[in-house]
Amino acid sequence: MKEIKQIITAYNAARSRGKGAVLATVVHIEGSSYRAPGARMLVTEDGSLTGAISGGCLEGDILRKALMVMTTQKPLLVSYDTSDEESSVITVNLGCNGIIRVLLEPIIEDNPYHPISLLKLAVEKRHRSILVTLFSLNAKKDAGQGTKMLFTPTGVHQSKEGKGPGFSALEPDIQTAWKQKHAMFIAYPVTDENTSGYNAFLEYLEPAPALVIAGAGNDVFPVVEIAKTLGWEITIVDGRPLYANENRFPSCQLVLSEPAEAIRHIKLDERTAFVLMSHNYDYDKAVLKNILYTPVKYIGLLGPTKKRDRILKELIQEGFQLPEDTEIPTSLYAPTGLQIGAESAEEIALSIIAEIQASLTETHGGPLRNLKGHIHHRNMGIVLSKKSYGVLLLAAGESKRLGTPKQTIAYKGSTLIQHAHHQASSLKTAVSLTVISQGDITLKDLLNQTDAVILENPDYKEGMASSIRTGVDHINRFYPNVEYLLIMLCDQPYVESAHLQTLIDTQQKTGKKVVASLYEGRKGVPTLFHRSLFPHLLELRGDIGAKNLIESLDNEVVSVAFPLAAFDVDTNKAREQLRD
């Protein structure tokens, strides 16, 4: 966030001088690179640079190209190959062994949601957001490229400039990135509106870490200085105005109050770290008591283990219940800091800040030389959009073993078929089809209460294969952009959207053509099938379904364990065991 704020400040200064500007953003990498996607640099008309997209090796060439973009007022995607001197893209021998793609965007003031405007909205409040940047590998000068959208808990801000997928197409993938809390790279198919086949960089942004320090002694100064260098938001909590004042801490928010009152004035979230270093036992104890049940993930307590144990023991004796059934709460780091042999105030500050950083990023803080493989584990694969997937819910048949239509059995306030459709449709894929028996008025009435696309199968008495053929044929005729079809049944009540999403996530990570559910030692539905297997699905006959096809593909299938899929409502005994 610090780099983004510096870019915003630099842009405001350039604008006040009447200078044009171009924003350079790393939108994708293959292999290794010094900076990750999301690294930015602002180039202004007078040649000044703010931010960085590499270790200094690419900035000169970016400056030249940015000045050209300023003239044309058209975006440009530039690729740098840092390893292959024979490559057709621009080669730079940096030793990083990767391809870096940088998007250059002119800042056009007439556009109310130009890239800098969206960045401003992203940092103005302490909330998570998804920033969407479109780029085209097929047309590097495509005018539709650029930072186009910001998704926040309070709304969506979208640029109307250029073509490309809109929010309705992007939303399912944005929601996935939001839930998984990491960046994604999505390929959107070529359509009449999306003639360049855009890729989207969905950048997951979190607010800058907030550091709250209880105490205002001299040993707090180096902690504040390091945190300020990192761009963290800093608050000092202390009840002594002689220590906690603007002359001593000009860059910090100051809260002069007793602990309980002080906490009410501070917004605490999962990106907040609290360090207790007041050197006053009772003050530290009072603060700890008031923050143990907050979302704060890191609470550092300065001092020896004896101090920690005494405070916790006294809190329990006073009737305070610790948030976890453990001797030491997981959020409490006491003594605070990494073990680096720190002695001086500056060294201790370094150990504390390093431990906070490791805690926020959920890493261990060990030596990099002990790592095997890459230093950074970045997921850079460009995966298919949710709009390249479809769902086929099989709900035809006579329920002969049960003796009554299983689809209409009450479950979770509705029926099995309505519940299954709700789980499928919540994925927000390109289409969610439901196949029922031809002439089944009851099921049609139930599904008409939903947004289901209903297909009637005239050959339902043949068995499950006929319903699969009905659905696949419909996909082939009306949804040519669907690359994967998820086949599921309506009588597996414990199959919910979370598992269906896991199947899609697994396909995107592995690239496999088939992703099946694993239960009772076998692979079965729900299962994802790639389009290349659609002809095989159309050849199925009888009541066997896709099980034989899955088994015949063997090693080409990746499986996801889900034991609950073994329960299906095929008998009266199973119906009696069904639980909401």
Side-chain angles (χ1 to χ4, degrees):
M1 281 296 179
K2 179 183 178 181
E3 185 173 70
I4 291 177
K5 291 177 181 178
Q6 290 174 332
I7 285 173
I8 293 170
T9 300
Y11 172 74
N12 289 337
R15 184 186 178 193
S16 68
R17 301 193 307 270
K19 301 294 183 182
V22 167
L23 183 66
T25 305
V26 178
V27 292
H28 190 248
I29 62 173
E30 292 180 29
S32 300
S33 72
Y34 183 77
R35 298 295 309 273
R40 291 178 173 84
M41 183 173 73
L42 186 77
V43 182
T44 57
E45 195 175 341
D46 56 8
S48 64
L49 308 177
T50 304
I53 57 164
S54 74
C57 306
L58 304 180
E59 277 69 7
D61 190 67
I62 285 294
L63 170 60
R64 290 188 291 272
K65 289 183 170 56
L67 294 175
M68 178 184 70
V69 167
M70 228 173 279
T71 301
T72 64
Q73 291 290 284
K74 301 292 183 184
L76 174 67
L77 183 70
V78 184
S79 296
Y80 296 94
D81 190 335
T82 63
S83 59
D84 183 7
E85 294 296 340
E86 300 300 322
S87 174
S88 60
V89 297
I90 299 173
T91 56
V92 185
N93 192 11
L94 304 180
C96 294
N97 295 317
I99 296 176
I100 305 169
R101 297 186 173 97
V102 182
L103 182 65
L104 303 176
E105 303 175 72
I107 310 301
I108 302 173
E109 279 297 322
D110 292 343
N111 178 7
Y113 289 125
H114 60 67
I116 303 298
S117 294
L118 293 176
L119 291 176
K120 287 179 181 177
L121 291 169
V123 302
E124 70 179 7
K125 294 181 180 179
R126 281 194 64 79
H127 57 206
R128 300 184 294 147
S129 59
I130 301 286
L131 190 65
V132 180
T133 303
L134 303 180
F135 61 99
S136 175
L137 299 178
N138 303 320
K140 65 180 183 179
K141 295 183 180 181
D142 191 285
Q145 299 177 116
T147 305
K148 298 294 184 182
M149 187 184 307
L150 181 73
F151 175 85
T152 74
T154 58
V156 179
H157 310 278
Q158 182 174 2
S159 171
K160 304 299 182 184
E161 300 293 320
K163 296 183 178 180
F167 179 68
S168 60
L170 292 161
E171 183 185 11
D173 303 303
I174 289 175
Q175 293 289 357
T176 300
W178 182 265
K179 291 175 183 176
Q180 296 182 356
K181 297 184 177 182
H182 64 68
M184 295 183 68
F185 304 87
I186 311 294
Y188 290 89
V190 174
T191 62
D192 292 340
E193 296 78 23
N194 182 17
T195 56
S196 296
Y198 291 114
N199 297 296
F201 169 33
L202 307 183
E203 183 179 3
Y204 179 75
L205 296 174
E206 291 186 302
L211 175 62
V212 183
I213 304 173
N218 290 344
D219 58 345
V220 171
F221 289 139
V223 179
V224 168
E225 287 304 310
I226 298 175
K228 185 171 67 173
T229 299
L230 294 171
W232 294 5
E233 300 172 5
I234 311 165
T235 301
I236 302 292
V237 177
D238 200 293
R240 303 167 296 176
L242 186 63
Y243 287 83
N245 58 66
E246 291 185 0
N247 290 330
R248 285 167 58 82
F249 299 100
S251 61
C252 303
Q253 177 186 350
L254 301 175
V255 178
L256 284 164
S257 177
E258 292 302 309
E261 183 66 24
I263 303 308
R264 286 195 285 269
H265 288 85
I266 304 171
K267 181 180 179 180
L268 303 177
D269 55 35
E270 293 183 348
R271 297 282 290 168
T272 303
F274 222 113
V275 181
L276 312 180
M277 49 192 309
S278 71
H279 300 283
N280 182 308
Y281 178 86
D282 291 329
Y283 197 89
D284 285 348
K285 175 183 170 182
V287 173
L288 181 61
K289 182 178 179 179
N290 280 277
I291 62 176
L292 273 175
Y293 275 93
T294 66
V296 174
K297 287 187 175 180
Y298 182 97
I299 304 172
L301 176 62
L302 191 67
T305 55
K306 289 183 179 179
K307 177 181 177 181
R308 174 200 69 200
D309 295 341
R310 179 187 168 191
I311 288 178
L312 293 177
K313 182 179 179 181
E314 289 181 2
L315 288 176
I316 293 172
Q317 289 175 343
E318 293 167 9
F320 182 82
Q321 185 175 357
L322 298 181
E324 301 158 58
D325 188 20
T326 57
E327 290 186 10
I328 304 172
T330 56
S331 61
L332 180 58
Y333 292 75
T336 184
L338 292 180
Q339 186 177 352
I340 60 173
E343 293 287 347
S344 68
E346 290 76 14
E347 292 166 348
I348 293 171
L350 177 63
S351 74
I352 293 172
I353 294 295
E355 186 177 52
I356 293 172
Q357 174 67 17
S359 171
L360 293 176
T361 56
E362 298 182 351
T363 53
H364 299 294
L368 288 175
R369 70 176 183 177
N370 293 342
L371 290 179
K372 294 182 180 179
H374 296 293
I375 295 174
H376 302 290
H377 296 282
R378 299 165 178 160
N379 185 7
M380 296 292 107
I382 299 178
V383 300
L384 294 172
S385 160
K386 278 278 193 73
K387 296 304 182 182
S388 295
Y389 296 81
V391 183
L392 177 59
L393 173 60
L394 306 181
E398 300 174 288
S399 304
K400 292 180 179 178
R401 292 178 62 193
L402 186 62
T404 186
K406 67 178 76 173
Q407 303 94 324
T408 62
I409 292 175
Y411 183 63
K412 287 193 173 183
S414 60
T415 62
L416 282 181
I417 191 170
Q418 289 170 316
H419 172 75
H421 167 72
H422 175 70
Q423 303 309 312
S425 63
S426 65
L427 295 176
K428 296 185 178 180
T429 57
V431 63
S432 181
L433 303 173
T434 301
V435 180
I436 64 174
S437 304
Q438 187 175 53
D440 193 327
I441 303 300
T442 301
L443 292 191
K444 186 179 288 188
D445 288 343
L446 287 173
L447 289 171
N448 281 336
Q449 300 174 32
T450 71
D451 59 352
V453 177
I454 304 170
L455 299 180
E456 295 190 51
N457 175 16
D459 302 318
Y460 67 93
K461 291 186 178 182
E462 175 195 327
M464 192 181 298
S466 63
S467 291
I468 294 175
R469 297 197 306 269
T470 298
V472 173
D473 179 67
H474 188 85
I475 291 290
N476 280 339
R477 286 191 292 136
F478 298 104
Y479 297 91
N481 287 325
V482 166
E483 289 292 316
Y484 280 88
L485 185 62
L486 195 161
I487 298 179
M488 60 182 291
L489 307 176
C490 79
D491 65 351
Q492 292 175 299
Y494 304 140
V495 171
E496 298 195 339
S497 59
H499 175 61
L500 302 179
Q501 181 61 53
T502 300
L503 295 175
I504 294 176
D505 293 342
T506 302
Q507 183 281 313
Q508 292 181 336
K509 291 175 183 176
T510 64
K512 290 285 189 178
K513 291 185 177 181
V514 182
V515 183
S517 302
L518 179 66
Y519 46 94
E520 293 186 334
R522 61 187 175 86
K523 300 168 186 174
V525 292
T527 297
L528 266 177
F529 292 93
H530 184 256
R531 173 170 284 277
S532 62
L533 296 171
F534 288 3
H536 299 282
L537 293 172
L538 290 171
E539 292 174 358
L540 295 176
R541 295 292 183 273
D543 198 33
I544 299 176
K547 183 171 63 175
N548 286 354
L549 175 59
I550 296 171
E551 291 176 352
S552 70
L553 293 169
D554 195 19
N555 293 333
E556 296 180 46
V557 180
V558 63
S559 59
V560 176
F562 191 70
L564 291 176
F567 184 87
D568 57 18
V569 189
D570 264 355
T571 64
N572 282 309
K573 182 179 179 181
R575 181 179 181 176
E576 292 170 2
Q577 294 173 338
L578 181 63
R579 50 182 171 79
D580 281 358

